[in-house]
Amino acid sequence: MPASNRLPRNLLVARFSALGDVAMTIPVVYSACRCNPDTRFIFITKPVQESLFINPPENLVVIGVDVKNEYKTPRDLWRLFKELRAQYSIDAFADLHGVLRSFFLRAVCTLHGMKCHSIHKGRMHKRALTRPRNKVMLPLISSRARYREVFYRFGFALEEKFTSLYGSDKGDPAMFADITPPKAEGERWIGIAPFAKHKGKIYPPELMEKVVAELAAMPSTKIFLFGGGDYERKILGEWASRYNGVTSLAETRHGFAVELALLSHLDTMVSMDSANMHLASLVGVRVVSVWGATHPYCGFKGFRQKEADIVQLPMTCRPCSVFGNKPCSRGDYHCLAGIPPQMIVTKVKSIIPPSPPNE
């Protein structure tokens, strides 16, 4: 094979962004590693997200890089490049982020004669999908497909070789023993993650409480509430004290290793279009996802999640935003407030039928 067509031996891969975006890289990166064992993949991301990469392939190195403090300026990024190149003999760069700092790293790599490829985000098509008038309501390719394209352009073979962070198994119950005993026979576990970063993706808490109340009334059922931050902690703590069999995980920072192990034992998860949908997807859990200002057509549906489990209203103004961060043009967020709690409960019960009365 000519030198110019050889596959990289030590590929630097970058994605520094939000938790959900990094979680979506994992099925693709693990598959790329397993399909190309002769290449070492050096994945750089935010330090807090390092621990997401559970049971990584042998040829994957994950490095937490503090781009807000330690590697903040162009000079710092130049230093980062030199450090990584010296330690890992990097010979190519895959930019899965496509922002200013990753563009700078790409430019430095290019100056050193390295092959580089970057994600194509499809911004023009996303604008056409989310604009107020004359929307082009067609599904866009998923973010995972965009990540795969980057590896394809290097010439890597790439087949789907990821099912779960735990393979065909589940996380060790000892990991979450401080939260709950292991699941009893016949018991159903439901996770609920009712919050997201932006208002356009949050189902009204007073309506979600009705979902929690009805699901908590199901026999042999435990509910685990996922969230963080003072406001979320307060709301979830109130729900946990109000309903039997409901536990809030927001009181303590358990860490990804513990929460992912617990997630892997759930029967289903109720989540917004948020990171928790993607975390549950990484451990093979079926998710009832609730969508408001955003839309699955933008390409962010959870890994291997079913269309039938999506909860959303058919409104002509949807989607109005890729990320749910734009103010509602109607002012009432009807795309979320108009979803009856029973619609969510019915989806959950279709996955976890109620126990027979004699149980």
Side-chain angles (χ1 to χ4, degrees):
M1 180 182 293
S4 61
N5 293 329
R6 286 181 189 153
L7 293 176
R9 297 303 302 271
N10 296 285
L11 177 70
L12 179 64
V13 185
R15 182 82 208 204
F16 296 110
S17 57
L19 175 58
D21 294 311
V22 174
M24 282 189 284
T25 68
I26 289 179
V28 179
V29 172
Y30 279 36
S31 295
C33 290
R34 288 165 181 158
C35 291
N36 301 277
D38 294 332
T39 295
R40 178 168 56 174
F41 294 76
I42 301 94
F43 191 101
I44 54 176
T45 189
K46 292 179 181 178
V48 71
Q49 293 162 356
E50 259 188 281
S51 56
L52 271 182
F53 292 75
I54 293 172
N55 299 322
E58 291 183 0
N59 56 332
L60 175 62
V61 179
V62 181
I63 303 169
V65 174
D66 185 355
V67 292
K68 285 193 173 180
N69 299 298
E70 191 176 354
Y71 298 99
K72 189 175 181 179
T73 67
R75 178 179 288 184
D76 295 332
L77 291 171
W78 181 272
R79 175 167 55 88
L80 172 64
F81 165 77
K82 290 194 293 184
E83 291 169 357
L84 292 171
R85 190 184 189 201
Q87 185 169 359
Y88 297 103
S89 303
I90 290 161
D91 57 358
F93 178 49
D95 178 6
L96 302 186
H97 199 170
V99 294
L100 197 57
R101 66 173 64 96
S102 62
F103 289 155
F104 182 84
L105 284 173
R106 180 179 178 180
V108 173
C109 290
T110 301
L111 285 172
H112 284 76
M114 298 182 189
K115 186 184 287 188
C116 303
H117 290 292
S118 182
I119 187 171
H120 295 165
K121 293 187 173 181
R123 288 189 177 96
M124 182 180 70
H125 295 103
K126 287 174 181 174
R127 283 195 293 270
L129 180 59
T130 57
R131 62 196 179 198
R133 291 173 292 279
N134 302 317
K135 288 180 182 293
V136 181
M137 281 300 294
L138 294 173
L140 306 182
I141 66 171
S142 70
S143 290
R144 283 176 296 276
R146 296 185 192 278
Y147 297 146
R148 284 195 296 270
E149 285 180 346
V150 178
F151 293 111
Y152 285 140
R153 289 198 290 273
F154 283 102
F156 286 115
L158 195 55
E159 299 175 18
E160 190 67 75
K161 290 185 178 290
F162 179 89
T163 53
S164 162
L165 288 170
Y166 303 106
S168 58
D169 207 349
K170 296 182 184 295
D172 183 359
M175 293 289 293
F176 53 83
D178 290 342
I179 300 172
T180 182
K183 183 189 287 187
E185 186 175 352
E187 199 169 51
R188 284 84 53 83
W189 285 9
I190 301 171
I192 297 180
F195 296 103
K197 185 176 181 180
H198 300 295
K199 185 174 180 179
K201 299 202 290 187
I202 301 174
Y203 190 56
E206 63 275 14
L207 297 180
M208 185 59 84
E209 183 177 356
K210 295 180 180 180
V211 174
V212 172
E214 183 158 351
L215 295 178
M218 293 169 59
S220 304
T221 300
K222 275 189 177 181
I223 294 176
F224 299 94
L225 305 175
F226 294 80
D230 292 340
Y231 172 73
E232 296 178 18
R233 189 178 302 116
K234 178 177 181 295
I235 296 292
L236 300 183
E238 289 173 357
W239 293 354
S241 63
R242 204 169 289 154
Y243 304 103
N244 291 330
V246 177
T247 300
S248 170
L249 275 69
E251 295 299 325
T252 306
R253 289 186 179 276
H254 300 283
F256 289 130
V258 172
E259 292 197 6
L260 285 165
L262 176 60
L263 276 170
S264 70
H265 288 263
L266 298 181
D267 293 285
T268 191
M269 176 80 158
V270 177
S271 175
M272 307 301 100
D273 167 23
S274 69
N276 282 290
M277 171 179 65
H278 299 295
L279 297 180
S281 301
L282 288 180
V283 293
V285 171
R286 196 166 159 185
V287 179
V288 174
S289 56
V290 182
W291 300 70
T294 60
H295 197 288
Y297 276 14
C298 291
F300 300 106
K301 184 165 69 70
F303 176 67
R304 291 188 173 178
Q305 294 300 332
K306 299 176 182 292
E307 297 283 345
D309 296 336
I310 293 171
V311 177
Q312 58 184 338
L313 295 181
M315 298 178 63
T316 56
C317 57
R318 292 187 60 239
C320 63
S321 169
V322 174
F323 304 111
N325 55 340
K326 294 182 180 178
C328 175
S329 60
R330 292 170 46 115
D332 60 359
Y333 290 95
H334 182 74
C335 57
L336 289 157
I339 296 173
Q342 193 59 44
M343 184 183 294
I344 300 172
V345 171
T346 299
K347 290 281 187 185
V348 172
K349 289 184 176 180
S350 71
I351 299 170
I352 310 176
S355 300
N358 58 350
E359 257 194 30

